[in-house]
Amino acid sequence: MAVLAQAEIERYAAEGWVKPAWRLPPERVDEMRDALDELIRRNPGVRPEKLVSAHIEGDNGEGVHGSAAFLELARDPGIVELVGGILGPDVILWGCHVFCKPPLEGYETPWHQDGHYWPIRPLATCTVWVALEDSKIDNGCLRVIPGSHRAKLLHEHLHEDRADLTLQQRLAPGTFDEYQAADVELEAGEMSLHDVYMIHGARPNTSSRRRTGVALRYMPSTSLFDRSLRPVDGKTGVAVNFARRPLWLVSGVDRHGGNDFVTGQQPR
Ligand SMILES: O=C(O)CCC(=O)C(=O)O
Ligand SMILES: [Fe+2]
């Protein structure tokens, strides 16, 4: 069973992240790694750290040719069950970003808070970061500042005009203490969950091993995905189109009532 233990739920509440005991079976990891290789083949012009909306099959309108295999992963009953432990029964899948860092030259992810980028009000999201390969200190695993979500405040981010970053916004100096950072080391198939306000980043991958995480983004359906908002439009270094982004209700009902599940969906 994938249900989060009470201690895992409490850890997430206290620290803003948790690594659940549950993990993907090895055969699912193999399938997803094949899907990743195919995704990279489909997108020769896109940096593999910037495979945004990889779950939308075909030309996704955000510069990437995605694959339904990632949508299937996002709807995996085990993963949805884990998320339910954090968000409750009513859950909307609204995003998926593949952060694949090639060996030797994988981009750094600057320290940031996700909420800075997203048109969700009230702002809420639980990200499930699924490791498709071992993600360790040497190949640039995710790093987190435990407890940094608690104040529910977004700090100032500064734009950085550098090509070798996964995102071009970095938390302003002095907004947190990097010495507090914890390394989220994962084996292939393991995952971590993190809160929308929690400060995190990752070092460049200078190792000889690739490092890939699939970030699946879920919000409670009590919030609205507001297509009219454009936070940090055009300045992140990743092309996004929130106005056309499809939403999927993966569990329960739309409690807000105003979420639009039609826009962006492909005809069936
Ligand atoms: O994998 C990374 O380097 C960054 C991931 C991240 O920022 C996220 O999942 O929100
Ligand atoms: Fe992030």
Side-chain angles (χ1 to χ4, degrees), residues 167-207:
L167 310 163
Q168 281 161 327
Q169 305 270 320
R170 185 191 299 273
L171 270 166
T175 44
F176 69 102
D177 178 4
E178 194 170 332
Y179 284 103
Q180 307 289 320
D183 295 299
V184 182
E185 291 198 293
L186 300 173
E187 289 173 12
E190 290 187 317
M191 59 202 78
S192 62
L193 278 54
H194 71 256
D195 181 76
V196 68
Y197 286 100
M198 199 213 35
I199 296 173
H200 59 287
R203 294 196 171 107
N205 182 11
T206 53
S207 78

Short mmCIF file of all heavy atoms in Angstrom, two decimals, residues 167-207:
data_model
loop_
_atom_site.label_atom_id
_atom_site.label_comp_id
_atom_site.label_asym_id
_atom_site.label_seq_id
_atom_site.Cartn_x
_atom_site.Cartn_y
_atom_site.Cartn_z
N LEU A 167 16.34 27.12 -14.23
CA LEU A 167 15.37 28.22 -14.08
C LEU A 167 16.18 29.49 -13.90
O LEU A 167 17.20 29.46 -13.21
CB LEU A 167 14.51 28.03 -12.83
CG LEU A 167 13.83 26.69 -12.62
CD1 LEU A 167 13.38 26.56 -11.16
CD2 LEU A 167 12.63 26.55 -13.54
N GLN A 168 15.71 30.59 -14.44
CA GLN A 168 16.53 31.80 -14.37
C GLN A 168 16.11 32.77 -13.28
O GLN A 168 16.20 33.98 -13.44
CB GLN A 168 16.59 32.45 -15.74
CG GLN A 168 17.60 31.70 -16.59
CD GLN A 168 17.46 31.93 -18.06
OE1 GLN A 168 16.36 32.13 -18.57
NE2 GLN A 168 18.57 31.91 -18.76
N GLN A 169 15.64 32.23 -12.18
CA GLN A 169 15.30 33.07 -11.03
C GLN A 169 15.96 32.43 -9.82
O GLN A 169 15.86 31.22 -9.63
CB GLN A 169 13.79 33.08 -10.80
CG GLN A 169 12.97 33.49 -12.00
CD GLN A 169 12.71 34.97 -12.05
OE1 GLN A 169 12.46 35.59 -11.04
NE2 GLN A 169 12.79 35.54 -13.22
N ARG A 170 16.59 33.27 -9.00
CA ARG A 170 17.25 32.75 -7.80
C ARG A 170 16.81 33.58 -6.60
O ARG A 170 16.67 34.80 -6.70
CB ARG A 170 18.77 32.84 -7.96
CG ARG A 170 19.56 32.22 -6.83
CD ARG A 170 21.04 32.57 -6.91
NE ARG A 170 21.68 32.11 -8.13
CZ ARG A 170 22.21 30.89 -8.31
NH1 ARG A 170 22.19 30.02 -7.33
NH2 ARG A 170 22.78 30.58 -9.45
N LEU A 171 16.61 32.93 -5.47
CA LEU A 171 16.25 33.66 -4.25
C LEU A 171 17.30 34.72 -3.95
O LEU A 171 18.51 34.46 -4.06
CB LEU A 171 16.15 32.70 -3.08
CG LEU A 171 14.76 32.09 -2.86
CD1 LEU A 171 14.86 30.90 -1.92
CD2 LEU A 171 13.79 33.12 -2.32
N ALA A 172 16.85 35.87 -3.56
CA ALA A 172 17.75 36.97 -3.25
C ALA A 172 18.65 36.58 -2.08
O ALA A 172 18.22 35.84 -1.18
CB ALA A 172 16.93 38.21 -2.90
N PRO A 173 19.91 37.05 -2.10
CA PRO A 173 20.82 36.72 -0.99
C PRO A 173 20.23 37.19 0.34
O PRO A 173 19.54 38.19 0.40
CB PRO A 173 22.09 37.53 -1.32
CG PRO A 173 21.96 37.96 -2.73
CD PRO A 173 20.50 37.94 -3.09
N GLY A 174 20.50 36.40 1.39
CA GLY A 174 20.04 36.80 2.72
C GLY A 174 18.65 36.32 3.06
O GLY A 174 18.18 36.51 4.18
N THR A 175 17.95 35.67 2.13
CA THR A 175 16.58 35.25 2.44
C THR A 175 16.54 33.91 3.17
O THR A 175 15.51 33.51 3.69
CB THR A 175 15.71 35.17 1.17
OG1 THR A 175 16.46 34.53 0.13
CG2 THR A 175 15.29 36.54 0.70
N PHE A 176 17.67 33.18 3.19
CA PHE A 176 17.72 31.91 3.92
C PHE A 176 19.18 31.55 4.19
O PHE A 176 20.09 32.19 3.65
CB PHE A 176 17.04 30.79 3.11
CG PHE A 176 17.82 30.41 1.88
CD1 PHE A 176 18.60 29.25 1.87
CD2 PHE A 176 17.83 31.21 0.76
CE1 PHE A 176 19.34 28.91 0.76
CE2 PHE A 176 18.57 30.88 -0.36
CZ PHE A 176 19.32 29.74 -0.36
N ASP A 177 19.36 30.50 4.99
CA ASP A 177 20.71 30.10 5.39
C ASP A 177 21.06 28.77 4.72
O ASP A 177 20.53 27.72 5.07
CB ASP A 177 20.73 29.96 6.92
CG ASP A 177 22.07 29.48 7.44
OD1 ASP A 177 23.01 29.35 6.62
OD2 ASP A 177 22.17 29.23 8.65
N GLU A 178 21.96 28.83 3.77
CA GLU A 178 22.29 27.63 2.98
C GLU A 178 22.89 26.51 3.84
O GLU A 178 22.83 25.34 3.47
CB GLU A 178 23.25 28.02 1.85
CG GLU A 178 23.36 26.94 0.81
CD GLU A 178 24.10 27.35 -0.46
OE1 GLU A 178 24.10 28.55 -0.81
OE2 GLU A 178 24.67 26.45 -1.10
N TYR A 179 23.45 26.87 5.00
CA TYR A 179 24.02 25.83 5.88
C TYR A 179 22.96 24.88 6.42
O TYR A 179 23.26 23.80 6.91
CB TYR A 179 24.79 26.48 7.04
CG TYR A 179 26.13 26.99 6.59
CD1 TYR A 179 26.34 28.35 6.37
CD2 TYR A 179 27.18 26.11 6.33
CE1 TYR A 179 27.57 28.83 5.93
CE2 TYR A 179 28.41 26.57 5.89
CZ TYR A 179 28.60 27.94 5.69
OH TYR A 179 29.80 28.39 5.25
N GLN A 180 21.69 25.32 6.34
CA GLN A 180 20.59 24.46 6.82
C GLN A 180 20.20 23.40 5.80
O GLN A 180 19.31 22.57 6.06
CB GLN A 180 19.34 25.32 7.09
CG GLN A 180 19.55 26.51 8.01
CD GLN A 180 19.78 26.08 9.44
OE1 GLN A 180 19.13 25.17 9.93
NE2 GLN A 180 20.74 26.73 10.10
N ALA A 181 20.80 23.41 4.62
CA ALA A 181 20.34 22.55 3.53
C ALA A 181 20.50 21.06 3.85
O ALA A 181 21.49 20.64 4.44
CB ALA A 181 21.09 22.88 2.25
N ALA A 182 19.48 20.29 3.43
CA ALA A 182 19.54 18.83 3.54
C ALA A 182 19.57 18.26 2.12
O ALA A 182 18.88 18.77 1.22
CB ALA A 182 18.32 18.30 4.28
N ASP A 183 20.36 17.23 1.91
CA ASP A 183 20.44 16.57 0.61
C ASP A 183 19.37 15.48 0.53
O ASP A 183 19.29 14.64 1.42
CB ASP A 183 21.81 15.93 0.42
CG ASP A 183 22.92 16.97 0.37
OD1 ASP A 183 22.88 17.81 -0.53
OD2 ASP A 183 23.80 16.94 1.25
N VAL A 184 18.58 15.51 -0.53
CA VAL A 184 17.52 14.50 -0.70
C VAL A 184 18.07 13.40 -1.61
O VAL A 184 17.88 13.43 -2.82
CB VAL A 184 16.26 15.13 -1.31
CG1 VAL A 184 15.15 14.08 -1.44
CG2 VAL A 184 15.78 16.31 -0.47
N GLU A 185 18.76 12.45 -1.01
CA GLU A 185 19.34 11.38 -1.82
C GLU A 185 18.29 10.30 -2.06
O GLU A 185 17.64 9.83 -1.12
CB GLU A 185 20.57 10.81 -1.13
CG GLU A 185 21.73 11.80 -1.11
CD GLU A 185 23.05 11.11 -0.83
OE1 GLU A 185 23.22 10.61 0.30
OE2 GLU A 185 23.89 11.06 -1.75
N LEU A 186 18.13 9.92 -3.32
CA LEU A 186 17.12 8.94 -3.69
C LEU A 186 17.73 7.87 -4.59
O LEU A 186 18.62 8.18 -5.39
CB LEU A 186 15.98 9.62 -4.48
CG LEU A 186 15.20 10.73 -3.79
CD1 LEU A 186 14.25 11.39 -4.79
CD2 LEU A 186 14.43 10.21 -2.59
N GLU A 187 17.21 6.65 -4.46
CA GLU A 187 17.54 5.62 -5.45
C GLU A 187 16.48 5.66 -6.54
O GLU A 187 15.38 6.17 -6.33
CB GLU A 187 17.52 4.24 -4.77
CG GLU A 187 18.69 4.06 -3.85
CD GLU A 187 18.59 2.78 -3.04
OE1 GLU A 187 17.75 1.93 -3.36
OE2 GLU A 187 19.38 2.67 -2.10
N ALA A 188 16.82 5.07 -7.69
CA ALA A 188 15.85 5.01 -8.78
C ALA A 188 14.56 4.38 -8.28
O ALA A 188 14.60 3.32 -7.63
CB ALA A 188 16.43 4.21 -9.94
N GLY A 189 13.45 5.03 -8.55
CA GLY A 189 12.15 4.52 -8.11
C GLY A 189 11.66 5.16 -6.82
O GLY A 189 10.47 5.16 -6.52
N GLU A 190 12.60 5.72 -6.04
CA GLU A 190 12.18 6.45 -4.84
C GLU A 190 11.71 7.84 -5.24
O GLU A 190 11.98 8.30 -6.36
CB GLU A 190 13.33 6.54 -3.84
CG GLU A 190 13.67 5.20 -3.20
CD GLU A 190 14.71 5.33 -2.09
OE1 GLU A 190 15.70 6.07 -2.26
OE2 GLU A 190 14.53 4.66 -1.08
N MET A 191 11.05 8.51 -4.30
CA MET A 191 10.52 9.85 -4.61
C MET A 191 10.52 10.71 -3.37
O MET A 191 10.57 10.20 -2.26
CB MET A 191 9.12 9.74 -5.22
CG MET A 191 8.11 9.06 -4.34
SD MET A 191 6.72 8.42 -5.31
CE MET A 191 7.44 6.93 -6.02
N SER A 192 10.46 12.02 -3.59
CA SER A 192 10.25 12.93 -2.47
C SER A 192 9.04 13.79 -2.80
O SER A 192 8.72 14.02 -3.97
CB SER A 192 11.49 13.79 -2.22
OG SER A 192 11.79 14.60 -3.34
N LEU A 193 8.37 14.27 -1.74
CA LEU A 193 7.22 15.16 -1.90
C LEU A 193 7.63 16.50 -1.31
O LEU A 193 8.27 16.53 -0.24
CB LEU A 193 6.02 14.63 -1.12
CG LEU A 193 5.15 13.53 -1.75
CD1 LEU A 193 5.96 12.34 -2.19
CD2 LEU A 193 4.05 13.09 -0.78
N HIS A 194 7.30 17.62 -1.98
CA HIS A 194 7.62 18.90 -1.36
C HIS A 194 6.53 19.95 -1.54
O HIS A 194 5.76 19.93 -2.49
CB HIS A 194 9.00 19.41 -1.79
CG HIS A 194 9.15 19.88 -3.20
ND1 HIS A 194 9.77 19.15 -4.17
CD2 HIS A 194 8.79 21.04 -3.79
CE1 HIS A 194 9.78 19.84 -5.32
NE2 HIS A 194 9.19 20.99 -5.11
N ASP A 195 6.52 20.87 -0.58
CA ASP A 195 5.49 21.91 -0.51
C ASP A 195 5.86 23.10 -1.40
O ASP A 195 7.04 23.39 -1.62
CB ASP A 195 5.37 22.38 0.95
CG ASP A 195 4.31 23.43 1.13
OD1 ASP A 195 3.13 23.06 1.11
OD2 ASP A 195 4.65 24.63 1.26
N VAL A 196 4.83 23.78 -1.85
CA VAL A 196 4.98 24.90 -2.79
C VAL A 196 5.82 26.06 -2.23
O VAL A 196 6.41 26.82 -2.99
CB VAL A 196 3.57 25.37 -3.20
CG1 VAL A 196 2.83 26.01 -2.03
CG2 VAL A 196 3.57 26.29 -4.39
N TYR A 197 5.89 26.19 -0.90
CA TYR A 197 6.65 27.30 -0.30
C TYR A 197 8.07 26.90 0.10
O TYR A 197 8.86 27.75 0.51
CB TYR A 197 5.93 27.82 0.96
CG TYR A 197 4.70 28.64 0.68
CD1 TYR A 197 3.43 28.08 0.77
CD2 TYR A 197 4.79 30.00 0.33
CE1 TYR A 197 2.29 28.84 0.53
CE2 TYR A 197 3.66 30.76 0.09
CZ TYR A 197 2.42 30.18 0.20
OH TYR A 197 1.29 30.93 -0.04
N MET A 198 8.38 25.60 0.04
CA MET A 198 9.68 25.17 0.57
C MET A 198 10.84 25.55 -0.36
O MET A 198 10.79 25.33 -1.57
CB MET A 198 9.69 23.67 0.80
CG MET A 198 10.79 23.29 1.76
SD MET A 198 11.51 21.71 1.42
CE MET A 198 11.47 21.62 -0.31
N ILE A 199 11.88 26.10 0.23
CA ILE A 199 13.05 26.53 -0.55
C ILE A 199 13.88 25.30 -0.94
O ILE A 199 14.17 24.44 -0.09
CB ILE A 199 13.91 27.51 0.29
CG1 ILE A 199 13.10 28.78 0.59
CG2 ILE A 199 15.22 27.82 -0.41
CD1 ILE A 199 13.81 29.74 1.56
N HIS A 200 14.24 25.23 -2.23
CA HIS A 200 15.03 24.09 -2.70
C HIS A 200 15.83 24.48 -3.94
O HIS A 200 15.59 25.51 -4.56
CB HIS A 200 14.15 22.87 -2.99
CG HIS A 200 13.09 23.14 -4.02
ND1 HIS A 200 11.98 23.91 -3.75
CD2 HIS A 200 12.98 22.78 -5.31
CE1 HIS A 200 11.24 23.99 -4.84
NE2 HIS A 200 11.82 23.32 -5.81
N GLY A 201 16.78 23.62 -4.28
CA GLY A 201 17.62 23.83 -5.46
C GLY A 201 18.44 22.58 -5.69
O GLY A 201 18.21 21.56 -5.05
N ALA A 202 19.38 22.64 -6.63
CA ALA A 202 20.25 21.48 -6.89
C ALA A 202 21.53 21.96 -7.54
O ALA A 202 21.51 22.90 -8.36
CB ALA A 202 19.55 20.45 -7.78
N ARG A 203 22.63 21.30 -7.18
CA ARG A 203 23.91 21.67 -7.79
C ARG A 203 23.98 21.15 -9.22
O ARG A 203 23.22 20.26 -9.60
CB ARG A 203 25.04 21.05 -6.96
CG ARG A 203 25.15 21.64 -5.56
CD ARG A 203 26.50 21.29 -4.94
NE ARG A 203 26.72 21.99 -3.69
CZ ARG A 203 26.67 21.43 -2.48
NH1 ARG A 203 26.43 20.13 -2.36
NH2 ARG A 203 26.87 22.14 -1.40
N PRO A 204 24.90 21.69 -10.00
CA PRO A 204 25.07 21.14 -11.36
C PRO A 204 25.49 19.67 -11.29
O PRO A 204 26.06 19.25 -10.28
CB PRO A 204 26.20 21.99 -11.95
CG PRO A 204 26.65 22.93 -10.92
CD PRO A 204 25.85 22.75 -9.68
N ASN A 205 25.20 18.93 -12.34
CA ASN A 205 25.68 17.55 -12.40
C ASN A 205 27.02 17.52 -13.12
O ASN A 205 27.09 17.65 -14.33
CB ASN A 205 24.66 16.66 -13.13
CG ASN A 205 25.11 15.21 -13.17
OD1 ASN A 205 26.07 14.83 -12.48
ND2 ASN A 205 24.42 14.41 -13.96
N THR A 206 28.08 17.32 -12.34
CA THR A 206 29.42 17.25 -12.93
C THR A 206 29.93 15.81 -12.89
O THR A 206 31.08 15.56 -13.23
CB THR A 206 30.39 18.15 -12.14
OG1 THR A 206 30.32 17.79 -10.75
CG2 THR A 206 30.04 19.62 -12.29
N SER A 207 29.07 14.88 -12.48
CA SER A 207 29.48 13.48 -12.37
C SER A 207 29.38 12.79 -13.73
O SER A 207 28.95 13.38 -14.72
CB SER A 207 28.57 12.75 -11.38
OG SER A 207 27.34 12.44 -12.02
#
